[in-house]
Amino acid sequence: MAARDNALNKGELYELACLLGIASCFWLIGDTLGVFTAMQNVMTAGGMSSIVFLGFLMSFALAAASALKSLRLRREMRARASAERAAQSIARRDVLTGLANRRMLIETMEAATGAGPAGEPYAVFLIDLDRFKPVNDIYGHAAGDAVLSQIANRLTELIPKDAIAARLGGDEFSVFMPHEARSADLIRVAQQIITRLSEPITWEHTKLDVSATIGIALFPQDGADPEALLRSADIAMYRGKREGRSTFRFFEARMDEELKARVSLEISLRSAVQNGEIKPHYQPLVSLPEHKLLGFEVLARWYHPERGIVPPDVFIPIAEDAGIITELSYCLLRQSCNDARAWSPELGLSINISPCQFKDRLLAPRILSILRETGFDPRRLEVEITESALTNDLDVARATLGILQSSGVSIALDDFGTGYSSLYHLRELKFDKIKIDRSFVQSLDDNEESAKIISAIIGLGRSLGIMTTAEGIENQTNSTWLAERGCTFGQGYLFGPPVPAHAVKQIILDTDAREQPPRSVAA
Ligand code: C2E
Ligand code: CA
Ligand code: CA
């Protein structure tokens, strides 16, 4: 590179030739006009020929050429250095927010923690925005970008002077600062960040709401190098997300163990769904007060080769997080529609659909296509949803439920009373059934409030023309009490626990036997 810079290029050779040409012309003109003879007389006592003047002029031309060349070189070097500085800054800064990027953060962390475990204590925050995705999905990327820039500004204002804030990508930010372990100061900074980032952001006259969950890892105890520290902070942040969001968590070693166990469970759950290890169990649904069998609720069970039968409370949340709940649900629906073909056609089937499945606009067509494929009458199917299915995007939920209902599928609002906006949703959507959460029924005997709430829900259902099912009925006293208050249906261990497909036949046979008038001996 330097050799190439020093050598003369074609343009410069041409320039040099021109300068030499000009010098020769000067000499020719000077010589013809006798200028050199006159100067010779003035400057010297004689002895300098016009050839010496030619030499002077040529040297002058060469000097001018070399000065020009060095000037140009210097200018080029300056331009190159400034381009390099710009490239360096782009490579180390986040273009959208102007904060440091991951690379710069890691370099800063490396420089700070390089002194090793004996060095100064540091804290790294991993900040993940909550509810950022809906902003992007609903209002578009321009709104998303505005939110990210505003968050970056707020972070920059908030953090201590000796801290550095970075955007790691997407809606993930980080703050790195010298700090004592778990000091009150550190907690205060975390709380301030959450409070400030949760304040609404105005974008084109719309108020956008996001918040933040923070994971905190400390150097040196939670990681010896930047990558290990960020990973620990990420694990702590993930814990915060699972435990309610808009909060902060310090990293603890057991979190790592739990995460590993969860990841391994997630891996085996994926293959379990594909290998058909998730099986439907069926729990009877009866009429009140007659206890007439009307159908079954499908409740998922994992037949784990080593752990035995795993309950849904353990694996449904993992399936939701891992994005395999849809596949699991369709697999269960297909199995249960096939199983139900062996039952009397009057018996219905209730299936639980997870809130996160409502993000899929194809949910309704997919359910209906499984019904067609298995030849199951949509009027026998009931879909149970919880209110959290309605909180994300009410319009999408409304459209999905509308398609299902117009095809004959009925909709039940599950776990009623545990959500936070029940009445609003009851007004907005047309449900066929409300399922009173089993926690109310189970505390009926020793909690007066529960009795009042149940009576109110039954009354509400009656006035809106919506039927009610009480879940978790375990004794006859409760069943009678509920029936007297007008509850339409019942479910619970009193009528039967969830059982595998092969045991359903027996329940149906027993019910038939109870309902058939006893045959006379003569007959
Ligand atoms: P859920 O929809 O409220 O289902 C009723 C739960 O109450 C079931 O628990 C059932 O076994 C239990 N139960 C029924 N009667 C009684 C009773 O008399 N006493 C008591 N103590 N419990 C009773 P399970 O099967 O463990 O299911 C738990 C939850 O897991 C379900 O609550 C539902 O939210 C979810 N779940 C189950 N299967 C699926 C599924 O296929 N998809 C989705 N998305 N969620 C499912
Ligand atoms: Ca249910
Ligand atoms: Ca329920």
Side-chain angles (χ1 to χ4, degrees):
M1 182 77 141
R4 211 179 64 205
D5 285 345
N6 290 334
L8 293 179
N9 61 31
K10 263 188 193 164
E12 286 162 347
L13 273 173
Y14 175 73
E15 198 177 78
L16 179 62
C18 287
L19 281 168
L20 289 172
I22 293 167
S24 312
C25 287
F26 270 124
W27 173 77
L28 204 64
I29 296 166
D31 196 43
T32 317
L33 297 178
V35 175
F36 302 132
T37 323
M39 279 173 73
Q40 203 176 332
N41 294 337
V42 174
M43 290 165 60
T44 66
M48 236 211 267
S49 72
S50 68
I51 292 300
V52 176
F53 277 101
L54 177 63
F56 273 146
L57 287 170
M58 288 299 179
S59 314
F60 181 73
L62 280 170
S66 109
L68 272 174
K69 161 100 181 149
S70 100
L71 243 165
R72 204 170 294 130
L73 256 178
R74 208 166 300 162
R75 205 179 308 140
E76 238 173 58
M77 275 166 71
R78 263 206 305 273
R80 202 174 294 166
S82 108
E84 256 167 34
R85 269 199 307 278
Q88 278 255 345
S89 150
I90 290 171
R92 301 171 86 240
R93 292 257 159 217
D94 173 55
V95 183
L96 175 69
T97 60
L99 292 184
N101 63 11
R102 177 181 274 271
R103 184 177 151 191
M104 185 167 170
L105 176 77
I106 299 267
E107 281 172 12
T108 314
M109 287 171 80
E110 261 165 5
T113 60
E120 240 188 289
Y122 283 92
V124 59
F125 284 21
L126 200 125
I127 306 165
D128 193 277
L129 298 187
D130 305 322
R131 299 189 301 272
F132 176 71
K133 197 174 174 299
V135 168
N136 239 350
D137 289 351
I138 298 168
Y139 300 102
H141 287 278
D145 285 356
V147 167
L148 293 173
S149 303
Q150 186 57 244
I151 294 288
N153 293 345
R154 291 180 182 182
L155 262 185
T156 315
E157 285 163 17
L158 271 175
I159 57 168
K161 279 198 182 61
D162 48 0
I164 166 173
R167 179 175 169 224
L168 303 181
D171 60 349
E172 220 176 49
F173 294 82
S174 179
V175 172
F176 178 67
M177 59 186 138
H179 231 291
E180 287 297 332
R182 285 185 180 237
S183 66
D185 260 6
L186 205 54
I187 294 173
R188 190 179 40 78
V189 174
Q191 280 167 340
Q192 277 176 344
I193 293 179
I194 294 169
T195 311
R196 181 77 176 106
L197 301 195
S198 307
E199 286 167 18
I201 291 168
T202 308
W203 176 80
E204 293 193 350
H205 311 294
T206 308
K207 281 203 174 359
L208 304 174
D209 276 307
V210 294
S211 65
T213 302
I214 306 178
I216 308 172
L218 304 167
F219 175 81
Q221 59 265 50
D222 300 336
D225 57 71
E227 291 296 350
L229 272 171
L230 281 171
R231 185 175 172 274
S232 297
D234 193 34
I235 292 173
M237 185 277 294
Y238 181 68
R239 173 57 65 101
K241 287 260 181 196
R242 277 183 48 210
E243 291 177 357
R245 294 160 184 251
S246 248
T247 181
F248 69 90
R249 289 284 179 277
F250 281 95
F251 173 77
E252 288 166 28
R254 69 177 170 86
M255 288 179 182
D256 200 15
E257 294 305 312
E258 284 166 18
L259 186 72
K260 279 183 191 142
R262 196 181 161 93
V263 169
S264 106
L265 203 62
E266 186 185 312
I267 293 169
S268 44
L269 182 58
R270 275 182 198 279
S271 62
V273 172
Q274 276 153 17
N275 301 337
E277 283 171 27
I278 313 289
K279 304 252 185 246
H281 273 207
Y282 300 96
Q283 184 174 33
L285 292 159
V286 303
S287 67
L288 291 182
E290 306 85 7
H291 297 189
K292 182 179 173 1
L293 181 68
L294 299 175
F296 294 90
E297 175 173 0
V298 181
L299 293 159
R301 297 289 181 270
W302 181 359
Y303 283 66
H304 195 284
E306 285 123 38
R307 293 163 153 239
I309 296 183
V310 182
D313 289 342
V314 173
F315 66 86
I316 295 286
I318 300 177
E320 289 174 344
D321 270 6
I324 44 178
I325 187 71
T326 306
E327 198 186 334
L328 188 156
S329 239
Y330 296 151
C331 168
L332 275 175
L333 178 63
R334 198 170 282 116
Q335 288 184 64
S336 44
C337 287
N338 283 329
D339 286 343
R341 282 206 298 218
W343 314 339
S344 149
E346 284 108 60
L347 292 174
L349 198 61
S350 276
I351 185 136
N352 293 285
I353 295 292
S354 276
C356 53
Q357 292 182 256
F358 277 81
K359 286 183 203 140
D360 180 7
R361 286 171 191 267
L362 295 177
L363 176 65
R366 284 191 182 149
I367 290 177
L368 295 174
S369 106
I370 293 173
L371 298 186
R372 269 195 304 278
E373 180 195 310
T374 52
F376 193 82
D377 184 350
R379 285 168 302 180
R380 289 176 67 189
L381 185 72
E382 181 170 72
V383 164
E384 296 191 5
I385 61 163
T386 55
E387 280 175 273
S388 21
L390 311 169
T391 46
N392 282 341
D393 191 341
L394 190 59
D395 288 335
V396 174
R398 198 198 312 268
T400 301
L401 299 184
I403 299 172
L404 290 173
Q405 281 177 316
S406 62
S407 309
V409 176
S410 47
I411 309 294
L413 187 53
D414 205 357
D415 303 343
F416 190 80
T418 55
Y420 52 86
S421 51
S422 317
L423 297 177
Y424 173 71
H425 289 137
L426 279 185
R427 201 190 59 195
E428 286 294 302
L429 300 164
K430 199 173 161 4
F431 293 101
D432 301 284
K433 199 186 272 178
I434 299 170
K435 293 190 81 173
I436 305 167
D437 191 65
R438 65 178 188 272
S439 58
F440 296 114
V441 178
Q442 287 180 340
S443 54
L444 197 52
D445 298 333
D446 41 40
N447 189 334
E448 252 182 63
E449 297 298 311
S450 293
K452 285 182 192 158
I453 292 172
I454 293 177
S455 301
I457 298 175
I458 296 171
L460 186 70
R462 199 184 306 116
S463 58
L464 291 172
I466 306 174
M467 291 176 289
T468 40
T469 301
E471 297 179 328
I473 305 177
E474 293 185 3
N475 58 56
Q476 186 55 51
T477 321
N478 286 353
S479 174
T480 309
W481 187 90
L482 287 155
E484 280 168 5
R485 271 150 197 85
C487 184
T488 342
F489 308 109
Q491 179 180 1
Y493 296 162
L494 176 67
F495 317 110
V499 291
H502 64 82
V504 169
K505 277 182 207 138
Q506 196 53 50
I507 296 179
I508 297 174
L509 282 176
D510 291 350
T511 313
D512 285 350
R514 272 203 310 274
E515 284 174 6
Q516 296 293 323
R519 287 181 189 184
S520 68
V521 180

